[in-house]
Amino acid sequence: MAIEFSKLILNYPYFISVIIFSLGCLCILTQHNLLKKVMGINIMQSGIFLFYIAVGNIKGGIAPIYDPSLPEATLYINPLTSTLILTGIVVGFSVTAFALALIVKLYNFYGTIHAPDIIRMRSLG
Amino acid sequence: MYLWENMPFFLVIGSLIGAFGMAFFARWKREWCPYLTILSVAFSFVLSCILAYRVAGGEIVHYYAGGWRPPWGIEMMIDELGSMMLVLLSGSFLLIAIYCVKAIPREIPPSVSGWYYTCFLLTLSAMMGMVATNDFFNIFVMVEVTGIGACALVAAKGEKLSTEAALRYLILSSTGAAFLLFAIAFAYQLTGNLNMTYVAAELAKIKDQYPVIVWVMISFFTIGLGLKAALFPLHLWLPDAHSSAPSPSSAVLSGLVVKVYIVTIMRVYFMVFGFDIFTGTHMRTLILIMASMAILFGSFFAFAQVNLKRRLAYSTVAQIGYIFLGFGLGTVWGITAAMLHIIIHAFMKVCLFLSAGAIYYQTGKKKVTQLTGLGYQMPVTMVAFTIASLSMIGIPLFGGFISKYGIALGSLEAGNPYFIALIVLSGLLNAAYYLPIIWQAYFVSGPKIQLKMDAIPFSMLLPIIVTAAGVIYMGIFPGGALTFLGKVVTRFLL
């Protein structure tokens, strides 16, 4: 168990990103305010983005641009994960925009963005 | 020649261009949109049929985006399962697009009807991309685009109920996509690849070294794609979204969208992880339990619904349980029957939802208790509805019988005969909630009985007739589809 714990300390970026992911998940599940639910999705995605960046990073690595004056053994970080995350951010942005548009529409219908109130109003008629 | 080599690319990009074209025509010539949509979908259908013909000739179609070979480039791979799904998707979309011409002006406000076709084609394009691609990150992007397109199809109606259902669908489906993205991060970290073939090869070498990460990965894939595919405890968004959407959207969502995620999860389980990890992590047991619960509770909930479309939506929950049960059994017959049920259920559900839309179009009735004597007012629609319902129950000569029989054979093969009792019980429950509708339509009549022809346009009648014919065809001649799918199943269980 002691070895496992030291691994956790050494790989703290992964640990932190998993915590952020879980917080976002908790936010979606427990918050009643619809805006906060959407924020929860964003927090969750931020956790994943951090995880991807941490996967691609190397300690002491430099930007992956080839320079002949540098020695052969220079470490370059992995650019692929950052590129993937660029796509991920765009996707997350479009989901957020769409969700906010729907929330505005719901607010016009019901006058509230508190989820239990909306459900109560709907069941009344 | 150029088209021949790059066919998978044109398949996906063709309807994507169509989608953006519709956004342009929505401002300029709104009345052209339905016909241009039909043209665009027909183009995809022709290409899918050519691809399926190539695959049937024994070739597995590979396409490398930009000529970059894997593991670096993006690969599209179309095997038997993929080509079957492509033909099914584009064919059903073609029928639904024909139905849309007359149905859409009735169901959604004219100001958004052009945009509706944008979302329609966007969903088709993303779904075809999802079944054709062999790259994990592409799958994530296509999953998100399908999710957004499908939510827009629900929200298009602009009513209170459909807006709320669309928001719930959007929140849950992007949560599922987040889990999927995390699972892909684990796959990349563990194997250094995003191409599914290479991930599978690496995973086979190192799976004993990292048992915990493999376990977390497969659970995240299950949660993410299970949420999207509405596997039983994760189905909460489905009934509202499918019942409050316009009828063509309900047919698309219920018949096709959830199936695409099931195909993806099947490929993840059997082609990436392999049968050993699938069983070894007890994921197979979990899938079997969840699928059994889906079959039972889905049917019970459907029984309690009064709204016709809600009843059909809950029936979808139960039928998804059948598909998961089939491949969860993990035997040759089980997986083949699950794939066959994907096709047959698509035919049945599209037929049922389009009929429900037609009933609403002619009579304005939404509740199952109001359908008295409808068999004489809308004979063609009700005959198609009856065929699809009998197939749902699993009467021989109809498609549903073949797949249920196959799943029963699969459960015998797996040494688990209890599932046969489950299938029989669920068949009885299906009968309990479908037969009263049919009984009312034919045998309970008003003061005078007069046989009339349906008063709906022929363009709405045609898709209903074709899908009902498809159900009967699959029930009488399932041999071709079974041998076609058998090849991919043997590769799955290698």
Side-chain angles (χ1 to χ4, degrees):
Chain A
M1 232 18 225
I3 305 162
E4 298 284 325
F5 190 69
S6 69
K7 262 188 194 168
L8 208 66
I9 300 289
L10 274 177
N11 296 315
Y12 68 94
Y14 300 132
F15 187 56
I16 290 173
S17 58
V18 169
I19 287 177
I20 297 175
F21 179 82
S22 320
L23 280 177
C25 202
L26 192 73
C27 193
I28 295 173
L29 293 176
T30 57
Q31 291 298 323
H32 290 310
N33 191 322
L34 291 174
L35 272 179
K36 287 184 183 168
K37 276 184 199 282
V38 175
M39 283 180 194
I41 295 174
N42 282 323
I43 294 170
M44 211 167 159
Q45 281 169 339
S46 309
I48 305 169
F49 297 163
L50 280 179
F51 189 87
Y52 268 91
I53 305 289
V55 167
N57 194 28
I58 299 173
K59 213 173 240 177
I62 61 163
I65 302 163
Y66 179 68
D67 185 355
S69 66
L70 288 173
E72 276 289 304
T74 312
L75 286 172
Y76 296 104
I77 66 156
N78 183 357
L80 181 69
T81 51
S82 314
T83 331
L84 296 180
I85 282 326
L86 214 57
T87 317
I89 289 170
V90 173
V91 169
F93 163 75
S94 51
V95 168
T96 312
F98 188 24
L100 290 179
L102 286 177
I103 290 173
V104 169
K105 230 178 154 188
L106 271 184
Y107 183 76
N108 286 340
F109 283 137
Y110 292 101
T112 175
I113 51 170
H114 193 66
D117 285 353
I118 292 178
I119 292 170
R120 194 166 348 107
M121 279 182 192
R122 194 187 62 181
S123 61
L124 285 178
Chain B
M1 203 59 215
Y2 183 70
L3 185 69
W4 185 264
E5 277 168 8
N6 298 309
M7 207 175 275
F9 171 74
F10 280 112
L11 191 65
V12 178
I13 217 76
S15 40
L16 200 60
I17 291 172
F20 288 105
M22 285 317 125
F24 173 68
F25 281 106
R27 288 199 164 274
W28 183 45
K29 286 269 181 200
R30 195 180 293 150
E31 62 276 13
W32 289 10
C33 284
Y35 305 103
L36 289 171
T37 305
I38 292 174
L39 208 66
S40 172
V41 180
F43 173 72
S44 308
F45 181 60
V46 171
L47 284 192
S48 310
C49 286
I50 297 172
L51 274 172
Y53 177 74
R54 279 168 71 178
V55 171
E59 176 194 10
I60 290 180
V61 180
H62 292 275
Y63 170 75
Y64 308 112
W68 295 90
R69 301 215 150 230
W72 296 285
I74 294 168
E75 187 194 15
M76 289 171 93
M77 186 193 74
I78 296 168
D79 56 1
E80 285 85 0
L81 181 62
S83 65
M84 174 207 86
M85 280 308 287
L86 286 177
V87 173
L88 180 70
L89 285 174
S90 49
S92 312
F93 262 79
L94 185 59
L95 291 173
I96 297 168
I98 293 171
Y99 184 90
C100 275
V101 176
K102 294 278 188 233
I104 281 303
R106 271 289 183 97
E107 296 219 24
I108 67 174
S111 56
V112 293
S113 64
W115 290 100
Y116 181 84
Y117 292 106
T118 306
C119 303
F120 190 79
L121 285 174
L122 197 65
T123 315
L124 172 65
S125 163
M127 289 201 294
M128 291 201 300
M130 210 194 304
V131 291
T133 190
N134 197 25
D135 185 274
F136 264 135
F137 202 75
N138 252 20
I139 285 185
F140 164 72
V141 174
M142 296 302 182
V143 161
E144 280 283 24
V145 175
T146 313
I148 291 174
C151 287
L153 287 181
V154 177
K157 217 170 178 180
E159 288 173 353
K160 277 185 186 180
L161 203 62
S162 58
T163 311
E164 197 195 327
L167 185 64
R168 188 184 297 168
Y169 184 14
L170 187 66
I171 288 176
L172 283 176
S173 86
S174 49
T175 312
F179 274 98
L180 179 66
L181 187 59
F182 219 143
I184 293 168
F186 284 127
Y188 183 70
Q189 193 190 19
L190 211 55
T191 64
N193 282 305
L194 285 170
N195 188 293
M196 282 160 78
T197 318
Y198 286 79
V199 171
E202 287 286 317
L203 211 56
K205 281 185 229 158
I206 55 166
K207 64 181 177 197
D208 299 324
Q209 222 169 328
Y210 303 101
V212 180
I213 300 184
V214 169
W215 185 78
V216 171
M217 205 162 114
I218 196 169
S219 351
F220 273 34
F221 269 118
T222 310
I223 297 171
L225 290 167
L227 246 174
K228 294 256 178 189
L231 185 55
F232 172 66
L234 310 170
H235 73 285
L236 294 169
W237 56 269
L238 187 142
D240 278 340
H242 288 195
S243 60
S244 65
S247 302
S249 308
S250 310
V252 167
L253 292 168
S254 230
L256 304 166
V257 172
V258 287
K259 307 296 168 47
V260 181
Y261 301 121
I262 297 177
V263 168
T264 311
I265 205 169
M266 265 161 121
R267 286 174 60 191
V268 168
Y269 282 154
F270 291 108
M271 285 167 68
V272 177
F273 286 103
F275 187 72
D276 290 339
I277 301 180
F278 184 36
T279 316
T281 49
H282 302 290
M283 201 47 71
R284 197 165 76 87
T285 323
L286 185 73
I287 291 281
L288 284 177
I289 294 169
M290 281 156 80
S292 314
M293 276 159 62
I295 294 173
L296 274 183
F297 288 97
S299 304
F300 275 125
F301 288 142
F303 187 63
Q305 302 305 320
V306 191
N307 185 318
L308 177 59
K309 277 171 82 175
R310 264 186 99 77
R311 188 172 275 197
L312 296 179
Y314 271 109
S315 147
T316 300
V317 175
Q319 301 294 321
I320 286 165
Y322 277 114
I323 301 171
F324 272 97
L325 177 66
F327 80 77
L329 290 167
T331 56
V332 176
W333 257 111
I335 300 173
T336 318
M339 290 175 183
L340 198 68
H341 200 65
I342 289 177
I343 310 177
I344 294 168
H345 180 248
F347 281 137
M348 295 190 290
K349 256 305 141 52
V350 170
C351 181
L352 286 172
F353 266 118
L354 294 186
S355 311
I359 291 169
Y360 179 68
Y361 185 94
Q362 188 180 334
T363 63
K365 286 172 183 162
K366 284 181 179 176
K367 294 202 169 145
V368 284
T369 45
Q370 298 169 327
L371 305 180
T372 313
L374 209 64
Y376 302 100
Q377 291 168 26
M378 312 180 68
V380 180
T381 312
M382 276 321 285
V383 165
F385 191 93
T386 311
I387 289 170
S389 310
L390 293 180
S391 169
M392 281 280 181
I393 297 165
I395 309 272
L397 288 186
F398 296 103
F401 171 73
I402 305 290
S403 46
K404 283 190 184 183
Y405 181 66
I407 294 169
L409 282 181
S411 67
L412 280 184
E413 261 181 337
N416 242 338
Y418 318 106
F419 290 116
I420 296 177
L422 186 73
I423 291 168
V424 171
L425 179 65
S426 156
L428 290 176
L429 279 170
N430 282 359
Y433 63 80
Y434 277 119
L435 286 183
I437 303 175
I438 300 166
W439 177 267
Q440 256 191 342
Y442 286 109
F443 304 113
V444 181
S445 56
K448 51 182 174 190
I449 302 170
Q450 249 182 339
L451 189 61
K452 281 182 288 189
M453 209 35 209
D454 307 43
I456 56 172
F458 181 69
S459 69
M460 285 172 77
L461 214 50
L462 180 74
I464 299 174
I465 297 170
V466 172
T467 43
V471 170
I472 294 182
Y473 178 82
M474 292 305 290
I476 301 176
F477 308 106
L482 283 176
T483 35
F484 189 63
L485 293 171
K487 283 182 220 162
V488 76
V489 174
T490 47
R491 210 163 342 107
F492 269 7
L493 291 177
L494 218 56

